[in-house]
Amino acid sequence: MRLKPPVCSLLSPWFSRSHERREVRRSPVAAYSVATAQDSVRRIGVSAADVPQRISRPAPLRPENPAARAEPNARSESEKVRHLPLVDTFAREHTYLRISLTERCNLRCTYCMPEEGVPLQPTDALLTVDEILRLVRVFASRGVTKLRFTGGEPTLHPELGRLVHESRAAGLAEVGITTNAIALRRKLPALLDGGLNNLNISLDTLREDRYTRITRRLGLQRVLETIDLALELGAPRLKLNCVVMRDFNLDEVTDFVAYTRQRAVDVRFIEYMPFDGNQWNDSRMVSMKEMLENIEERFGFLEKVQDGPNDTAKSYRVPGYAGQIGFISSMSDHFCGSCNRMRITADGNLKVCLFGAAEVSLRDAMRDPDTTDHDLERIIEQALSRKK
C-alpha cells in the first residue's frame, strides 16, 4: 500500500522517513575521506569559494600531540570544535532540533495515514530515553538552543515529562512539543513545571463534524478545553497549526482569525502539500496570498508582526486582538535559504533536510560501545556538509 506523505513535519513523523528499504551507515564513525570542507562542497556541486572559512577544515578526532592534554591551559583542536556551532556549507547555523519520540498516534488524519494505521517498528529499533537524552546533550554542546519533541503523538511516550525536564537541564533555552492535544490535558501542568515553554497544537477545524471526518476520531471539545487550560496556566508560545485545504476548511480561515480576538494564541495556517497517492494534485492547495486576501476582506488592514531570522511563518495581527496569525508558505514561497533545522526520526536517523532522502543512523553509532560523543559530533558534521 502506498501512503500519502503528510503535510508537514510539524504534524507527523511519517514524512520524515522513507517507506522504502534503505541502507544506513553501520560504522560509528565512517572514515573521514574528505580532507577539507571544499571537497565536501565539490561533491554537492557548490563552488569552493562559497565555503565559510570557519569550516574550511574539520578538526582531528583526537589531539595529534597527546601531551597537550596534560597541559591544563592548552585546548586541543577537538576541544575547540565542541564550542563551534553546527554550520553547513552555506554558513547556516543549525540551532533547532526536532526529535520524533514515537511512531504511534491516537488519531488517523486523512492526509497523514490510512485508517488502519501503519506498520510499526519493534520497540528495540526505536531510540531509548537514555539515547535521546545523550543526543540532546551532544547537540546542545554544539549550539542547539531549541528542541521540539514530535511523533506520531509525543504525549503517548511514557517518559515525556522526564525528557522535557532533563532537556531543559541540559541548557536548552526552548523545549517544546507538537501535539494533537487529545491526551495532553492531565499531563500539561507537570510538563509546564518541568520546563516546557513552547506548545504547538495541531487543529484543522473548529467544527465537530469536520474534526471527526478528518481525524476519524472524536475529541474536538477536549482539544478546545486543553487550549483554554494552557492559556489559564500561562503556557508560553502557544501555537495552533492549521492545514488549509480548499475542499475542507478554507471557509474556516476567518473563524480561526476571530478565535485570536480574546485568546493570546498564534494560529499558523499551513499550505497543504498537494500529494495524493504520491501524485501531484494541487486542486486542494490554497496559497498564502489567497488566504490573506480572504482574511483582509473580512477584517480589513492587518498589522505585520516582526518575524525572526529563521521563522518559517510570516506573521500578522488584527489590530487590537490578543493573538496573532501566521502563514507557513512551504509551497508558494519556501524558506530553505534560512533553514536552521535538523530532525531525528524515532528510530534514530538524522535528517538534515526534511525534503531530502538522505539519512544517517545515530542510533547504530550510539549502540557501538566504542562510540564517543565526539564521534557522534563528527557524524553530524559530515551529514551537514552534504546539506543542500
Side-chain angles (χ1 to χ4, degrees):
M1 174 174 56
R2 305 182 75 183
L3 305 180
K4 300 177 184 178
V7 173
C8 176
S9 67
L10 294 168
L11 304 176
S12 173
W14 316 119
F15 191 43
S16 70
R17 49 180 302 118
S18 169
H19 287 284
E20 299 178 359
R21 186 173 180 175
R22 61 193 182 279
E23 295 182 1
V24 295
R25 268 179 255 182
R26 299 296 176 186
S27 170
V29 184
Y32 203 88
S33 59
V34 185
T36 65
Q38 282 86 348
D39 294 328
S40 296
V41 172
R42 281 195 292 271
R43 293 211 318 275
I44 61 174
V46 180
S47 167
D50 294 332
V51 182
Q53 185 64 33
R54 67 198 298 174
I55 57 171
S56 62
R57 182 176 181 83
L61 288 177
R62 294 179 177 82
E64 296 181 4
N65 178 12
R69 282 178 286 183
E71 300 177 20
N73 296 323
R75 293 178 60 198
S76 68
E77 289 301 309
S78 61
E79 287 172 327
K80 290 178 183 177
V81 84
R82 289 183 62 84
H83 298 275
L84 291 177
L86 293 167
V87 183
D88 66 11
T89 54
F90 298 95
R92 295 174 294 195
E93 293 188 9
H94 288 67
T95 59
Y96 184 6
L97 176 67
R98 298 179 183 177
I99 301 179
S100 173
L101 298 183
T102 178
E103 297 176 322
R104 297 167 55 221
C105 188
N106 46 7
L107 298 182
R108 293 292 180 270
C109 296
T110 55
Y111 54 68
C112 186
M113 70 171 76
E115 187 170 6
E116 65 274 15
V118 298
L120 301 178
Q121 297 189 79
T123 301
D124 61 3
L126 305 181
L127 291 175
T128 67
V129 171
D130 287 340
E131 287 170 340
I132 293 170
L133 291 173
R134 181 182 179 186
L135 290 174
V136 167
R137 289 188 289 269
V138 167
F139 278 93
S141 75
R142 293 299 302 271
V144 167
T145 59
K146 180 178 180 180
L147 172 67
R148 180 171 301 283
F149 291 121
T150 66
E153 172 50 42
T155 59
L156 299 182
H157 195 289
E159 297 291 338
L160 177 59
R162 176 189 167 191
L163 288 166
V164 168
H165 176 73
E166 295 197 24
S167 295
R168 287 301 305 274
L172 290 167
E174 194 170 328
V175 175
I177 61 172
T178 295
T179 173
N180 58 40
I182 289 291
L184 177 62
R185 183 180 178 87
R186 287 186 297 175
K187 301 179 180 184
L188 183 57
L191 290 172
L192 293 174
D193 288 344
L196 185 78
N197 59 0
N198 192 307
L199 178 59
N200 284 17
I201 295 177
S202 301
L203 182 63
D204 300 324
T205 179
L206 298 171
R207 304 181 188 180
E208 187 74 53
D209 60 329
R210 290 183 176 181
Y211 184 88
T212 302
R213 175 151 52 101
I214 198 166
T215 66
R216 302 188 178 104
R217 298 290 188 272
L218 301 173
L220 174 61
Q221 193 58 39
R222 188 185 312 173
V223 174
L224 295 176
E225 290 173 357
T226 301
I227 293 171
D228 288 338
L229 175 63
L231 291 170
E232 180 183 332
L233 295 175
R237 302 184 185 94
L238 175 58
K239 302 181 181 71
L240 306 184
N241 295 329
C242 176
V243 179
V244 179
M245 292 159 278
R246 185 174 303 280
D247 60 351
F248 178 69
N249 61 350
L250 175 58
D251 60 338
E252 287 191 73
V253 166
T254 54
D255 294 338
F256 273 101
V257 177
Y259 188 80
T260 70
R261 181 174 183 175
Q262 296 181 344
R263 295 176 178 87
V265 299
D266 181 358
V267 177
R268 304 193 302 177
F269 299 112
I270 302 169
E271 291 180 347
Y272 175 72
M273 294 183 182
F275 293 92
D276 184 10
N278 291 328
Q279 299 297 315
W280 182 263
N281 177 8
D282 62 359
S283 62
R284 304 183 76 191
M285 199 274 281
V286 183
S287 70
M288 168 187 163
K289 181 176 181 294
E290 182 177 348
M291 286 185 270
L292 197 54
E293 289 173 350
N294 288 352
I295 294 169
E296 289 180 329
E297 183 177 341
R298 174 174 169 181
F299 294 95
F301 171 76
L302 297 179
E303 295 177 351
K304 183 70 180 75
V305 177
Q306 181 65 44
D307 301 318
N310 299 111
D311 286 351
T312 56
K314 301 170 182 68
S315 300
Y316 296 82
R317 183 194 308 275
V318 178
Y321 278 30
Q324 64 183 50
I325 62 173
F327 301 90
I328 298 180
S329 54
S330 49
M331 298 305 301
S332 63
D333 185 16
H334 68 76
F335 31 80
C336 295
S338 60
C339 180
N340 68 334
R341 292 158 174 76
M342 299 167 286
R343 185 180 185 94
I344 298 175
T345 61
D347 59 350
N349 286 319
L350 173 65
K351 291 178 67 71
V352 295
C353 177
L354 174 65
F355 296 103
E359 298 181 353
V360 59
S361 179
L362 299 178
R363 176 202 65 194
D364 292 350
M366 287 189 293
R367 292 183 183 180
D368 185 310
D370 293 330
T371 302
T372 67
D373 287 354
H374 191 74
D375 294 336
L376 292 174
E377 292 178 39
R378 186 63 72 200
I379 295 172
I380 296 163
E381 289 171 350
Q382 291 179 41
L384 279 175
S385 74
R386 296 187 289 272
K387 184 170 182 175
K388 298 183 179 180

